[in-house]
Amino acid sequence: MNKDTLLVEGKSDQLFFKFLIANHKKLEEKEIEISPPKPLGSDGDGVDGIIDMLPNLLKFKAFGGSLGIVLDADYEPKGFNKRRDKIIEIIKEEGYDVSIPLQSEPWKGDIFPHPELSPVGLWIMPNHQTDGMFETLMLDTIPDGIRSQLLARLKMELGNVLSIDEFREIRLKASHKDKTLLNTWLYWQKQPSTCKSDDVSIIECALKEGWLNPEHDNIKALTSWLTRVFQ
């Protein structure tokens, strides 16, 4: 039996997409394996893990059904374009049609057909058009109010740390600021008892509790792409 697969960078993405799919009527009925690259044969997770193992995954058609790929653009010069070009280069070698230019509405994501096989979908975080990462998408969905005020304060404090030269040797990379902001913001808030479980990730808790808005336009666009990849 063919198996639909969603390839993601790591655990946080995996847990987020499990929540997203389980709470969407058209997707929850489908059997979609959500996996980082390492369990599928890569030496490691992350962007490098996806890029390293993708040629073999496509070559041996280990997934059988449709394949969705989600990875971060990151914050490097032209990060989105570089990520997209690299994936296109790999899938083109396996006969996928990449001749269709980037859509006029790029936030809809890419889906590349094959004359004999199921399609491959590509979504580059945060919104398939700008540089950033999974955490950027999550930060963008924080509703206005006291929680957004907390984020603003944390942004100010992080900016202060990044401006101090004596911390340069030990501080985080500026490109990881969204990752640091999101995790700090999440863990600085009181968690309800229903979220204090190994079975519930803090991202899932934030979505369920309304700290993050699961109905945000960017998440709706991502969900729409998922339904088209795995229709």
Side-chain angles (χ1 to χ4, degrees):
M1 182 175 67
N2 287 347
K3 178 173 61 177
D4 290 334
T5 302
L6 182 63
L7 183 60
V8 299
E9 285 194 32
K11 187 70 172 178
S12 295
D13 310 75
Q14 186 181 37
L15 293 171
F16 166 71
F17 279 102
K18 280 184 177 179
F19 172 85
L20 202 62
I21 288 171
N23 287 275
H24 191 279
K25 187 174 181 180
K26 289 184 179 179
L27 292 169
E28 66 176 347
E29 301 170 352
K30 296 184 175 294
E31 295 183 7
I32 302 171
E33 180 180 1
I34 309 166
S35 179
K38 192 170 183 179
L40 297 178
S42 176
D43 290 336
D45 290 335
V47 171
D48 291 340
I50 289 177
I51 290 173
D52 288 345
M53 59 85 64
L54 186 56
N56 283 337
L57 184 66
L58 293 170
K59 193 179 297 294
F60 295 109
K61 310 298 182 292
F63 54 92
S66 296
L67 173 67
I69 303 167
V70 179
L71 70 170
D72 293 341
D74 287 335
Y75 284 103
E76 57 179 90
K78 298 183 178 179
F80 167 72
N81 290 328
K82 286 180 180 178
R83 288 280 190 264
R84 184 174 183 271
D85 290 347
K86 184 61 180 178
I87 298 299
I88 285 177
E89 176 187 335
I90 293 171
I91 67 175
K92 183 179 180 180
E93 290 293 318
E94 300 304 323
Y96 287 87
D97 182 3
V98 298
S99 61
I100 302 173
L102 188 63
Q103 301 179 51
S104 59
E105 298 176 311
W107 56 88
K108 290 187 175 181
D110 281 312
I111 299 176
F112 302 104
H114 191 284
E116 300 174 358
L117 303 169
S118 298
V120 167
L122 174 64
W123 183 277
I124 300 176
M125 290 288 187
N127 55 15
H128 206 71
Q129 58 182 323
T130 61
D131 296 345
M133 54 188 65
F134 166 72
E135 289 81 6
T136 311
L137 172 65
M138 294 295 95
L139 290 170
D140 287 343
T141 70
I142 297 174
D144 291 337
I146 189 67
R147 299 187 197 279
S148 65
Q149 293 173 29
L150 173 59
L151 177 65
R153 181 58 185 264
L154 292 173
K155 281 183 177 179
M156 182 177 68
E157 296 298 340
L158 179 59
N160 290 337
V161 171
L162 290 173
S163 69
I164 299 174
D165 285 340
E166 65 188 272
F167 295 150
R168 187 180 300 275
E169 294 294 324
I170 63 169
R171 73 185 180 210
L172 62 102
K173 294 180 179 179
S175 60
H176 290 172
K177 60 181 175 60
D178 284 355
K179 193 181 297 290
T180 303
L181 272 173
L182 179 66
N183 287 323
T184 305
W185 179 83
L186 286 168
Y187 285 103
W188 268 45
Q189 297 179 72
K190 294 179 180 178
Q191 295 182 42
S193 58
T194 53
C195 294
K196 295 177 181 178
S197 166
D198 292 339
D199 297 327
V200 179
S201 72
I202 193 166
I203 289 289
E204 182 178 351
C205 175
L207 288 162
K208 284 182 175 179
E209 294 296 319
W211 304 358
L212 302 172
N213 177 15
E215 297 300 318
H216 190 277
D217 285 347
N218 289 352
I219 293 184
K220 284 184 175 180
L222 176 57
T223 307
S224 175
W225 169 81
L226 284 170
T227 59
R228 287 182 288 116
V229 172
F230 298 112
Q231 64 185 357

